[in-house]
Every structure is written in structure tokens, then in C-alpha cells.
């Protein structure tokens, strides 16, 4: 393909690439749907990075964000059987389960329901083969990486360990109860009036079934796409004026989400490890509804201080300080090259814009994967900060969401104040050694 395009001008080459991507984007979605599990997760993450992947790919993979549950959902009769088996006699409290799935994802699906006492809820049901397929998917991916991309193995091992926590919904119910209480009105949380986290129904939780309150709304990205389509049908002046206010509104929601995730990471030490766009609702009252806490990560005060110091260093941009903080949180390269440590840490936690993805010699790799491969050729990672993998995932997903709203995020700057607060809670080792 590359040789064919050398004989045409740049405009025609772009058109041909676009045509090729449009032709095969549906096949990419079909692969994710056929393979399910881990591959749906990959598709969801890729769909947040409009800056990295072709537009037709994004348009296809965005369908995995939850707005098209019919693509993954299984018959409600099968789900009702799982509910009865999982909850036993307690299932009688669910007097109505809607036929159509409200959402469907990698490991299970959600249906609206009503309790005997009249409460509107949702019931989340795990697919019977979800855990087995996940283990097989990770085993195959580890084998692939061991042969062709060993630099991803440390990251993959920790990702697998973290995702294993998603298969016990009793744990999700407990996590939801704790986090919902932290964001409840009167809790003193600065975001209590801006977000809503669904409270679970603790007595209706089993390993593969969990019931929680229903939050109305549409996904934030779904809302953005719907409003943009409406604007395209309006007059030119209306499009300019209303488009300006829509961008302001979306960016304001993004700032709230960044603040909420940062507060959970650096202040509470309990946060959602998978805040992809399908888990972010815009509610009718303007608040953000944050759903699906199946993947919750916890950090101790000392861990929050460690990662906080890395973010402070990243905000300052001083290479030696970033490299030193990166070693503290767990980065190791074969030769200890300070420049590579700085670049790996910045890519994981801070930013990945065009200004960042430039090699020391001034060359510009075409994408993040090639950038990492070139860095690994200089000095490969031999250890990654496993305890902070989900912090990196949060940063990556938020940066991706920013690109949808025309914002290039520098997470060091975004979370600097919260990072400083976390760092103050635990004196640094150097200060303790001096007796301060």
C-alpha cells in the first residue's frame, strides 16, 4: 500500500487511506464483538483516542461504549435464570426486569428493574463464561507479547491481576457503598453536588449479580454527538454561537470529571480503574452520573504521596526530578538511562501530544507504539510501577476524552494541587533521614 501511494499526491493518498479505513472499520468491530471479553475492553480504550487512530475506526469502536447494548446483549431469559440462581429467594424482590438491556459490556449486561418496594433500580448480571474467557485472552496476549513486544509484559501482568477483581459483584457492591457515601450530600466532598454515584442494594448482591439504584441520563459522549448533529442542521450563525457554548459546557464537564478522579486518587485513595466514556452519564439535572465500579483500586497514604511527588515533578517538567520520582514509584530500565525514565513516566502519567512524542534525535514516530519501541531500543523497561497502573489508565482515558472535546490535557498540571496535598501527608524519605 505504501509503495502504491508514493505515486500520488498527498491529498489523493489521504483519500485512499480514508477509503481503506472505512472499508475495514466494520471488520475491526466484528472482531471485538466475536472475541468479546478483553477485546471489547481494548476497543473501548481505543475508541477514546481520536488523536491516535483513524476516524472510521473510532466511529466503529465507539459503539462498544454502551449506547448499542444490542451488539453484545444476551436474551433476558438467560439473564433471569442467572439472577434466580445467584440471588435465590432474594430474587423475589425484583418484581419487574425490563426485556431490553440498558447496557452491555465485556463481562456482563445491565437491565432496568423495579423492586417490590417501588424503587427503580438496575440489575447487573455477569456472563457465565466471562472469567474463563478473560483468562484465555490474557494468556494468549501474554504469549504474543513475549514473542513480539516484551516491553508490554509487566504492564499486562498487572492489568490482568487488577481485572480479576471485576468478577465478584459482592465486592463491587461494597465498593459502591463506600464511594457513594464519600460523595453523598453533606459529606464535605467538593464534588458532592456535581456528581452522583449509584448506591447499591446490599442485600441483593451475589458473586455474579448486583443491584443498584437507577441513574437517568445518556452517556456524555452520546450527548455530545447528539448535540453536534442538531447543530449541523441549524443556521451558520446559530452553529457558531451554540457550538461555542456546547464546547464550553463539555469542557466544564470534563474539568469536573478530572477533579473527581483526582480527588479519588490523591485524597480518598479509592478510585474507579475504568472510567471509560461509557461509564460517564450526563443526568437531566446537569450532574455527572458515574457508574460501573467493578474495577476499584486502592492506594495507601504512602502510595498516594509517592505518586503525588511524581505528578508534582511532571508538572514542573524537570527531567532529573521526574526520573528520580519515577524510580521511587517503580520504574526501572536496563541501564537506568535518566532520559528514558523521564520519557516513560511522562507518557504513562502525564501527556502524549505531538510535542511530547519526539525522540531525543528529533525524529517523530508515527504513533505511541513506535515511540515506545524506539525508547525500548535505547533502554528498555524491565520493571513498571504495578501499584499505579490504574492511575496511568485513568490518565490515558481522560487524555483521550479530552481529544474528543478539543482539549490536550497535561495531567501533571491538572492534578498538581491534589498531588501536593497527598505528598504533604507523608514526609519524603529524604526529609525523614534528616530528622525534619
Amino acid at each position: 500500500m505504501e509503495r502504491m501511494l508514493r505515486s500520488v499526491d498527498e491529498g489523493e493518498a489521504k483519500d485512499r487511506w480514508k477509503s481503506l479505513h472505512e472499508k475495514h472499520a466494520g471488520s475491526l468491530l466484528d472482531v471485538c464483538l466475536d472475541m468479546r471479553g478483553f477485546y471489547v475492553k481494548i476497543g473501548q480504550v481505543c475508541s477514546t483516542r481520536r488523536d491516535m487512530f483513524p476516524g472510521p475506526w473510532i466511529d466503529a469502536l465507539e459503539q462498544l461504549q454502551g449506547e448499542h447494548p444490542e451488539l453484545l446483549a444476551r436474551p433476558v431469559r438467560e439473564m433471569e435464570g442467572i439472577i434466580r440462581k445467584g440471588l435465590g429467594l432474594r430474587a423475589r424482590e425484583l418484581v419487574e426486569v425490563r426485556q431490553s438491556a440498558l447496557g452491555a459490556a465485556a463481562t456482563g449486561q445491565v437491565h432496568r428493574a423495579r423492586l417490590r418496594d417501588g424503587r427503580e433500580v438496575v440489575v447487573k448480571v455477569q456472563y457465565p463464561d466471562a472469567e474463563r474467557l478473560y483468562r484465555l485472552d490474557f494468556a494468549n496476549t501474554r504469549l504474543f507479547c513475549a514473542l513480539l513486544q516484551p516491553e508490554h509484559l509487566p504492564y499486562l501482568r498487572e492489568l490482568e491481576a487488577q481485572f480479576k477483581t471485576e468478577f465478584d459483584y459482592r465486592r463491587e457492591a461494597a465498593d459502591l457503598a463506600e464511594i457513594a457515601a464519600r460523595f453523598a450530600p453533606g459529606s464535605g466532598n467538593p464534588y458532592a453536588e456535581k456528581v452522583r454515584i449509584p448506591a447499591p442494594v446490599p442485600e441483593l448482591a451475589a458473586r455474579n449479580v448486583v443491584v443498584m439504584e437507577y441513574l437517568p441520563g445518556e452517556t456524555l459522549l452520546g450527548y455530545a454527538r447528539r448535540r453536534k448533529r442538531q447543530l449541523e442542521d441549524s443556521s451558520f450563525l446559530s452553529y457558531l454561537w451554540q457550538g461555542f457554548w456546547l464546547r464550553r459546557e463539555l469542557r466544564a464537564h470534563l474539568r469536573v470529571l478530572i477533579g473527581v478522579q483526582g480527588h479519588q486518587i490523591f485524597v480518598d485513595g479509592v478510585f474507579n480503574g475504568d472510567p471509560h466514556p461509557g461509564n460517564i452519564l450526563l443526568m437531566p439535572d446537569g450532574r455527572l452520573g458515574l457508574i460501573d465500579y467493578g474495577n476499584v483500586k486502592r492506594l495507601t497514604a504512602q502510595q498516594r504521596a509517592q505518586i503525588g511527588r511524581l505528578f508534582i515533578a511532571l508538572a514542573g517538567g524537570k527531567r532529573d526530578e521526574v526520573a528520580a520520582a519515577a524510580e521511587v514509584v517503580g520504574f526501572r530500565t536496563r541501564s537506568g538511562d535518566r532520559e528514558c525514565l523521564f520519557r516513560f513516566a511522562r507518557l504513562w502519567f502525564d501527556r502524549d501530544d505531538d510535542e511530547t512524542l519526539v525522540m531525543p534525535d528529533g525524529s517523530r514516530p508515527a504513533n505511541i507504539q513506535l515511540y515506545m519501541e524506539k525508547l525500548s531500543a535505547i533502554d528498555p523497561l524491565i520493571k513498571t510501577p504495578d501499584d499505579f497502573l490504574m492511575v496511568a489508565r485513568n490518565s490515558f482515558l481522560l487524555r483521550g476524552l479530552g481529544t474528543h472535546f478539543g482539549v490536550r490535557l497535561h495531567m501533571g498540571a491538572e492534578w498538581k494541587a491534589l498531588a501536593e496535598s497527598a505528598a504533604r501527608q507523608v514526609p519524603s524519605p529524604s526529609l525523614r533521614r534528616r530528622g525534619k
Side-chain angles (χ1 to χ4, degrees), residues 128-200:
D129 53 355
E131 186 168 5
R132 179 183 64 83
L133 289 177
Y134 250 82
R135 293 181 184 277
L136 288 174
D137 292 342
F138 272 105
N140 291 332
T141 308
R142 283 199 309 272
L143 178 59
F144 173 84
C145 287
L147 294 173
L148 297 175
Q149 295 178 333
E151 66 272 14
H152 292 308
L153 278 173
Y155 172 91
L156 194 63
R157 281 193 291 267
E158 174 59 17
L159 192 67
E160 180 180 10
Q162 184 62 33
F163 277 150
K164 285 179 181 177
T165 66
E166 292 193 13
F167 297 107
D168 189 344
Y169 287 179
R170 294 167 299 189
R171 175 173 176 167
E172 179 175 355
D175 288 336
L176 260 180
E178 177 183 351
I179 295 170
R182 290 177 183 271
F183 282 83
S187 63
N189 190 304
Y191 297 98
E193 302 301 323
K194 297 179 180 180
V195 301
R196 181 83 177 274
I197 293 165

Side-chain angles (χ1 to χ4, degrees), residues 47-251:
S47 72
T48 68
R49 300 310 306 245
R50 191 167 286 275
D51 55 327
M52 294 182 186
F53 300 103
W57 292 23
I58 300 297
D59 295 338
L61 294 176
E62 277 184 345
Q63 297 179 68
L64 299 174
Q65 293 291 0
E67 293 177 285
H68 298 276
E70 70 279 0
L71 294 175
L72 288 163
R74 302 184 187 182
V76 67
R77 185 171 299 176
E78 179 182 345
M79 298 299 103
E80 288 174 335
I82 296 172
I83 293 169
R84 287 193 296 270
K85 186 174 180 180
L87 294 179
L89 293 178
R90 294 174 293 165
R92 295 176 181 176
E93 294 301 313
L94 291 163
V95 296
E96 179 188 351
V97 176
R98 300 280 180 91
Q99 291 288 311
S100 299
L102 184 63
T107 61
Q109 64 192 59
V110 174
H111 289 259
R112 282 191 66 175
R114 184 167 55 85
L115 295 183
R116 191 174 297 278
D117 61 13
R119 281 181 289 170
E120 291 290 321
V121 295
V122 296
V123 54
K124 180 179 175 181
V125 188
Q126 185 180 134
Y127 299 135
D129 53 355
E131 186 168 5
R132 179 183 64 83
L133 289 177
Y134 250 82
R135 293 181 184 277
L136 288 174
D137 292 342
F138 272 105
N140 291 332
T141 308
R142 283 199 309 272
L143 178 59
F144 173 84
C145 287
L147 294 173
L148 297 175
Q149 295 178 333
E151 66 272 14
H152 292 308
L153 278 173
Y155 172 91
L156 194 63
R157 281 193 291 267
E158 174 59 17
L159 192 67
E160 180 180 10
Q162 184 62 33
F163 277 150
K164 285 179 181 177
T165 66
E166 292 193 13
F167 297 107
D168 189 344
Y169 287 179
R170 294 167 299 189
R171 175 173 176 167
E172 179 175 355
D175 288 336
L176 260 180
E178 177 183 351
I179 295 170
R182 290 177 183 271
F183 282 83
S187 63
N189 190 304
Y191 297 98
E193 302 301 323
K194 297 179 180 180
V195 301
R196 181 83 177 274
I197 293 165
V201 181
E203 63 272 21
L204 295 180
R207 181 173 176 80
N208 55 355
V209 180
V210 63
V211 177
M212 65 196 77
E213 68 174 315
Y214 167 69
L215 299 186
E218 58 185 316
T219 66
L220 184 59
L221 277 185
Y223 169 77
R225 287 195 293 268
R226 179 174 61 80
R227 291 287 291 117
K228 287 177 181 177
R229 286 195 298 269
Q230 291 173 344
L231 291 179
E232 288 170 357
D233 296 331
S234 61
S235 67
F236 177 70
L237 289 178
S238 179
Y239 179 85
L240 289 179
W241 178 246
Q242 293 186 50
F244 168 77
W245 287 105
L246 177 61
R247 286 192 296 273
R248 285 196 60 171
E249 178 191 359
L250 294 175
R251 291 176 182 181

